[in-house]
């Protein structure tokens, strides 16, 4: 007999478990076998307890071996109960259970990725039917053509899909729905493109500051570079966060959108994101000017004024929606003939400027609100070659000029 049978016989248990196999659709035309495990009666209901399994084989001996394995697994409490729950149903349940622990932006991101990619590609499958081979096949297909267009999906997007799916299926393992996560050790590959981050050179930053001077974008630009702010932090800044006497700005909130695209003020993402920063005289003067404009508009608009207390807002006091402000940023660059970079690129530009000017990594990290200095350094390592000649010039000045002088003496 098989190894599975030996395992079963070695079980030192008092309770008995019965089972049977049945050819399907019939004995004359066997296409697969059904396994039924008889588990006694349910003490709560008095009804007979059964488990059903399908074995994709036409070989009776193979089906009997599988029955022995199922019996052994049940007695060792390693048997998974068959579940008809689909990936779509499981993800919907999981998102409902976890949304209270997620930020609105993360919830919106997860829901968007699930609706756009995971549900259409995997949603119809049962969680227990997912295999590494099936997931790999889908990912490979996405590298050639997206399910939403004729263009291939980038490796970074597939990795994002993979992260969400992997986290979800870890919960399925914990719940005992599956034995192991089928998304582990999936190969995605890399995009055939530069990992180069788009940042502004010092000259471009100066051109930007000159272009926005005297406009409603002057203060946002000053804050983005001075405080190395994220978009949500900029739009979430309120007058109560500013100490004008100390020239200090406290970053403690982010203005973000919920999954229903409603803007909401939430606490900072991480403990390191919360920070108190001393700002330049230029920035504090712009903040004073903006406070005066805010108070003047409050009197001008009267009851129609939205007293949001937000520093960066429309004339009527209403805060900008995050996506709306991104469009405003893009329009500002276009109207002034400036090279387009993403709004988040100002953050990368500010970090690289600080580090290239010799500001210690710990100070740059603290100003950016990064948890790990490696993140700060990774931004700098991708920076444009604007400062590449700096090292050569420094060596020339500090070392090699002295060597030249020595050679002349000798």
């Amino acid at each position: 007999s098989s190894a599975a049978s030996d395992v079963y016989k070695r079980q030192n248990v008092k309770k008995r478990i019965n089972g049977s196999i049945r050819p399907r659709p019939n004995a004359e035309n066997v296409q697969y076998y059904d396994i039924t495990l008889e588990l006694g009666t349910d003490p709560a209901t008095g009804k007979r307890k059964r488990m059903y399994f399908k074995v994709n084989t036409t070989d009776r001996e193979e089906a009997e071996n599988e029955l022995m394995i199922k019996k052994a697994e049940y007695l060792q409490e390693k048997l998974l109960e068959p579940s008809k729950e689909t990936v779509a149903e499981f993800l919907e349940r999981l998102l409902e259970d976890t949304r209270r622990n997620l930020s609105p932006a993360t919830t919106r991101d997860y829901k968007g990725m699930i609706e756009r990619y995971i549900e259409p590609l995997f949603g119809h499958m049962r969680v227990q039917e997912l295999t590494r081979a099936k997931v790999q096949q889908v990912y490979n297909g996405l590298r050639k053509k997206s399910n939403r267009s004729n263009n291939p999906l980038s490796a970074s997007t597939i990795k994002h899909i993979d992260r969400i799916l992997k986290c979800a299926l870890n919960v399925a393992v914990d719940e005992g729905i599956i034995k192991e996560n089928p998304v582990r050790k999936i190969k995605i590959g890399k995009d055939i493109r530069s990992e180069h981050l788009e940042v502004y050179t010092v000259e471009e930053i100066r051109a930007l500051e000159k272009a926005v001077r005297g406009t409603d974008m002057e203060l946002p630009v000053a804050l983005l570079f001075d405080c190395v702010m994220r978009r949500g932090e900029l739009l979430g800044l309120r007058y109560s966060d500013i100490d004008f006497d100390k020239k200090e700005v406290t970053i403690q909130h982010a203005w973000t959108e919920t999954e229903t695209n409603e803007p909401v003020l939430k606490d900072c993402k991480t403990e390191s994101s919360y920070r108190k920063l001393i700002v330049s005289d230029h920035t504090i003067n712009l903040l004073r000017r903006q406070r005066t404009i805010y108070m003047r508009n409050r009197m001008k608009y009267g009851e129609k004024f939205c007293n949001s207390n937000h520093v960066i807002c429309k004339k009527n006091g209403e805060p900008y929606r995050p996506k709306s402000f991104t469009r405003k940023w893009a329009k500002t660059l276009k109207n002034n003939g400036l090279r387009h970079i993403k709004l988040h690129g100002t953050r990368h530009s500010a970090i690289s400027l600080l580090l290239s000017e010799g500001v210690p990594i710990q100070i740059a990290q603290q100003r950016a609100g990064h948890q790990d200095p490696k993140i700060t350094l990774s931004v700098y390592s991708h920076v444009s070659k604007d400062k590449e000649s700096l090292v050569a010039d420094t060596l020339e000045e500090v070392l090699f000029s002295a060597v030249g002088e020595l050679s002349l003496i000798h």
Side-chain angles (χ1 to χ4, degrees):
S1 65
S2 68
S5 177
D6 294 339
V7 170
Y8 173 57
K9 285 173 184 174
R10 283 199 300 269
Q11 301 299 318
N12 183 22
V13 291
K14 292 178 183 177
K15 62 178 179 178
R16 289 179 61 83
I17 174 173
N18 296 316
S20 61
I21 61 169
R22 186 176 175 183
R24 290 294 198 175
N26 52 57
E28 287 72 37
N29 178 29
V30 181
Q31 291 179 15
Y32 63 93
Y33 279 87
D34 270 347
I35 290 178
T36 304
L37 292 184
E38 300 284 351
L39 308 175
T41 56
D42 188 332
T45 62
K47 292 182 179 179
R48 290 169 73 180
K49 286 172 67 181
R50 289 190 178 110
M51 274 192 194
Y52 301 96
F53 301 91
K54 178 183 174 181
V55 187
N56 288 312
T57 182
T58 55
D59 188 310
R60 185 175 184 86
E61 189 177 347
E62 202 174 318
E64 284 175 346
N65 285 343
E66 191 63 30
L67 171 63
M68 287 293 183
I69 289 169
K70 294 293 182 195
K71 285 181 177 181
E73 284 179 345
Y74 176 76
L75 293 169
Q76 291 171 331
E77 296 183 348
K78 291 180 181 177
L79 183 64
L80 295 176
E81 273 197 58
S83 167
K84 292 182 179 180
E85 191 171 34
T86 65
V87 173
E89 291 165 345
F90 174 73
L91 288 172
E92 187 181 351
R93 175 168 66 82
L94 182 65
L95 205 58
E96 192 59 44
D97 291 344
T98 57
R99 76 174 64 225
R100 69 178 71 91
N101 299 320
L102 301 173
S103 73
T106 303
T107 304
R108 191 179 72 249
D109 173 51
Y110 283 8
K111 194 175 179 184
M113 294 300 284
I114 288 166
E115 288 175 355
R116 284 196 297 274
Y117 301 110
I118 300 175
E119 271 190 14
L121 296 166
F122 302 107
H124 62 286
M125 299 183 195
R126 291 182 184 180
V127 176
Q128 291 184 340
E129 288 175 347
L130 269 184
T131 63
R132 191 171 299 161
K134 283 179 183 176
V135 176
Q136 185 72 69
Q137 187 180 12
V138 170
Y139 286 178
N140 292 348
L142 290 173
R143 294 291 277 139
K144 295 172 185 172
K145 183 181 177 295
S146 167
N147 63 310
R148 296 174 61 81
S149 72
N150 290 321
N151 300 319
L153 214 56
S154 71
S156 56
T157 303
I158 298 172
K159 282 175 184 173
H160 193 29
I161 294 167
D162 185 65
R163 274 193 298 272
I164 295 169
L165 195 56
K166 193 179 289 179
C167 287
L169 293 175
N170 279 340
V171 176
V173 173
D174 293 341
E175 289 185 2
I177 300 171
I178 51 178
K179 283 183 183 177
E180 62 175 37
N181 194 329
V183 187
R184 282 176 63 248
K185 297 179 182 175
I186 293 282
K187 293 176 183 175
I188 295 168
K190 294 180 180 179
D191 290 323
I192 307 170
R193 67 180 185 191
S194 169
E195 290 292 318
H196 176 74
L197 281 179
E198 280 199 319
V199 297
Y200 272 160
T201 63
V202 177
E203 288 73 23
E204 285 175 311
I205 295 170
R206 285 180 185 143
L208 171 64
E209 288 177 337
K210 186 178 177 183
V212 297
R213 204 166 291 156
T215 72
D216 62 351
M217 284 298 284
E218 185 175 12
L219 176 59
V221 167
L223 286 168
L224 285 166
F225 283 97
D226 199 339
C227 300
V228 198
M229 281 178 152
R230 300 172 176 92
R231 179 183 66 179
E233 292 169 348
L234 174 73
L235 300 179
L237 187 69
R238 298 183 297 176
Y239 287 106
S240 51
D241 299 324
I242 302 162
D243 187 323
F244 287 94
D245 296 327
K246 290 183 181 176
K247 295 197 304 180
E248 190 176 69
V249 169
T250 301
I251 298 172
Q252 58 184 337
H253 297 108
W255 186 243
T256 185
E257 290 176 348
T258 64
E259 57 190 288
T260 56
N261 295 322
E262 285 305 309
V264 62
L265 193 70
K266 67 177 188 71
D267 291 336
C268 278
K269 195 173 178 179
T270 60
E271 196 176 323
S272 56
S273 295
Y274 175 91
R275 54 207 192 273
K276 288 178 180 285
L277 305 174
I278 302 295
V279 296
S280 65
D281 289 338
H282 174 67
T283 301
I284 205 73
N285 287 334
L286 288 175
L287 284 165
R288 283 198 182 98
R289 186 182 77 180
Q290 183 60 29
R291 182 176 57 172
T292 305
I293 293 169
Y294 184 89
M295 298 306 288
R296 195 183 299 147
N297 284 337
R298 187 176 170 182
M299 291 176 71
K300 179 183 173 183
Y301 283 85
E303 289 181 3
K304 292 181 181 178
F305 189 78
C306 173
N307 193 17
S308 63
N309 199 30
H310 283 239
V311 175
I312 307 301
C313 61
K314 298 174 187 176
K315 286 180 180 178
N316 66 351
E318 185 188 338
Y320 285 100
R321 285 177 174 266
K323 286 177 185 173
S324 170
F325 189 80
T326 298
R327 288 192 292 270
K328 185 177 173 65
W329 161 259
K331 192 177 177 182
T332 300
L333 300 185
K334 188 177 179 181
N335 290 348
N336 289 284
L338 297 166
R339 179 168 67 95
H340 181 271
I341 65 168
K342 290 180 180 177
L343 183 59
H344 200 74
T346 59
R347 189 167 152 79
H348 297 148
S349 302
I351 291 167
S352 44
L353 179 65
L354 289 172
L355 293 177
S356 64
E357 291 298 328
V359 172
I361 179 67
Q362 292 86 353
I363 303 295
Q365 175 200 348
Q366 191 269 334
R367 204 155 187 91
H370 282 152
Q371 278 184 299
D372 193 332
K374 287 178 187 171
I375 302 168
T376 318
L377 282 170
S378 71
V379 170
Y380 189 50
S381 68
H382 289 109
V383 166
S384 66
K385 309 211 172 178
D386 181 37
K387 290 275 176 184
E388 203 171 65
S389 62
L390 187 69
V391 176
D393 293 344
T394 304
L395 288 171
E396 178 69 35
E397 189 182 331
V398 178
L399 292 177
F400 302 135
S401 60
V403 172
E405 285 168 18
L406 287 170
S407 62
L408 287 172
I409 293 166
H410 292 288

